[in-house]
Every structure is written in C-alpha cells, then in structure tokens.
Amino acid sequence: LIFKLLQMRLFPESLLKDSLFYPASGIDWGIIEYCNAHQGEFGIRNYVYADYAVGEELVRRNLDGIPGYRLRELLTLAAPGFPMPEGIDRAEYERYRSEWKSFALLAEYEREAGAAAAVGPERFSLLYLGAEGTAVYDALYNANSIVPKAIAIIQSGAAGGLNWTDFGNPGAPFARTVYKGKALPGHIFYGGHGGRGFYGHFHW
C-alpha cells in the first residue's frame, strides 16, 4: 500500500488515464504523431514511455522533435525504483543491469499556433521513465487498477537488442503482467520505427 501511494504521488492518476504505454520505446515519437492525428478514434491524451537503456541526456536532446507541437514545460521528477514483478527469474531480468539508466521526465506539449487542428489535441503529456517496462506496467497500471487505452510493442529490442525478454511474446512476462490487470487495453500497436504509415494495430 505504501508503494502504491508513493507511486501515485509521483505520477498522478491523470497521467495514466487515457494513456498509451510504450515499453522499450527508445526515442520513437512516431506513435505519438499517429495517435494524435487519430485523436477521435483513440482518445489518447497521455503517453508513458519506459526504456532502461536510452538515458536521460539522449531523451532531452530529442524532446523538441514532435511536428506541430512545442515543448511547453519539462519537469525532472525523482527517479523511482520499480520492484520486479513476481514470478520472474531475477538472473534473466537483470541480464543487462549494467545498461540500466534511471530517470524520470514529464514533458507537456502544446500545439503550435500555426499548426492545423488535424495534427492532434491542443495539449498532451509525455512521461518518460528510465526503467524496465514490465515492472513499470505492474507498478503504475496494475497496482492502481488503471488500464491504458493502448500499448505499443514496436521493435522492442528482443532480437539483438538490450531487452531481457520479448514484449511481443504472449507467453512471456510482459504479456502475463498485462493479463493480470483488471482489463485489457483496447489497442495494441505493432510494427517498426518508420512513421505513421508503418504501424498496424488491432483491438484486444
């Protein structure tokens, strides 16, 4: 209970509702462009990214790269520790521990004055966590009985990358963690980096 209260103090429920969760996200803002442009269909207002191998400096350098939007405010938050979910082999989970870079940034974006309304909502938020995706989902969504509107599984680094597990495998720990929740997200986005035309999605 104490951990749950701590997490909600750091990351209010308003950031998690109407959100898309993107584990092993890198600095791929393409899914933000895509979902913003389809706001009427998906209704996503917040984006929660998690990647333990990217690093804060690289994220900061790329935060201005979302077409049609300006970075209105950037907050540096306390970097929390997320407990490893139950039922996972610790040796596997920590296979790339030396690569983990812990941080938390909250970016607020505002649509540029000259941008067409078709690019997306007037404002949206991006919470970027330097953390492991399975643990983040369990601690923020499951522990607080919140279900994101969507999950993005896009080039998650399981094949030759630095991911210890395959987020796209329905029998692997991430999928099992999602299934533990009170409900399933409405959409799964998949595919590769490459912009709006490169994504596919399906209803769960």
Side-chain angles (χ1 to χ4, degrees):
L1 177 60
I2 293 174
F3 182 79
K4 177 178 177 179
L5 291 173
L6 174 62
Q7 293 301 335
M8 290 313 294
R9 196 174 300 122
L10 289 171
F11 312 119
E13 185 175 313
S14 59
L15 288 178
L16 304 177
K17 284 191 170 181
D18 298 330
S19 69
L20 174 142
F21 180 63
Y22 190 169
S25 54
I27 50 170
D28 175 24
W29 311 142
I31 194 67
I32 296 178
E33 292 183 61
Y34 184 87
C35 290
N36 279 351
H38 294 81
Q39 182 65 213
E41 180 178 359
F42 303 124
I44 294 168
R45 297 278 180 170
N46 304 293
Y47 298 87
V48 180
Y49 278 40
D51 197 314
Y52 56 52
V54 173
E56 182 176 352
E57 182 181 351
L58 182 59
V59 173
R60 284 180 178 273
R61 289 204 310 263
N62 287 274
L63 285 173
D64 287 322
I66 302 177
Y69 287 88
R70 70 176 188 90
L71 183 60
R72 181 172 177 268
E73 187 174 11
L74 178 63
L75 300 177
T76 302
L77 308 177
F82 294 97
M84 183 183 74
E86 295 179 359
I88 294 176
D89 180 86
R90 183 168 294 277
E92 283 293 300
Y93 181 77
E94 297 186 344
R95 186 189 312 169
Y96 299 108
R97 182 76 189 206
S98 62
E99 303 290 337
W100 290 18
K101 303 173 180 72
S102 181
F103 66 94
L105 297 173
L106 176 59
E108 296 286 342
Y109 288 88
E110 184 173 62
R111 194 172 65 210
E112 293 177 347
V119 303
E122 290 186 8
R123 292 183 180 178
F124 70 88
S125 70
L126 167 62
L127 173 63
Y128 200 116
L129 301 171
E132 194 279 324
T134 308
V136 171
Y137 192 95
D138 200 41
L140 293 190
Y141 291 101
N142 286 350
N144 296 294
S145 299
I146 296 173
V147 182
K149 283 186 175 289
I151 292 176
I153 307 295
I154 300 167
Q155 289 184 204
S156 61
L162 292 174
N163 200 345
W164 69 279
T165 186
D166 183 358
F167 288 150
N169 182 342
F174 180 72
R176 295 201 306 267
T177 299
V178 172
Y179 277 104
K180 277 176 25 182
K182 71 172 187 176
L184 296 176
H187 303 275
I188 297 290
F189 293 91
Y190 60 91
H193 300 173
R196 299 182 179 184
F198 209 56
Y199 298 120
H201 90 278
F202 59 88
H203 296 275
W204 217 323

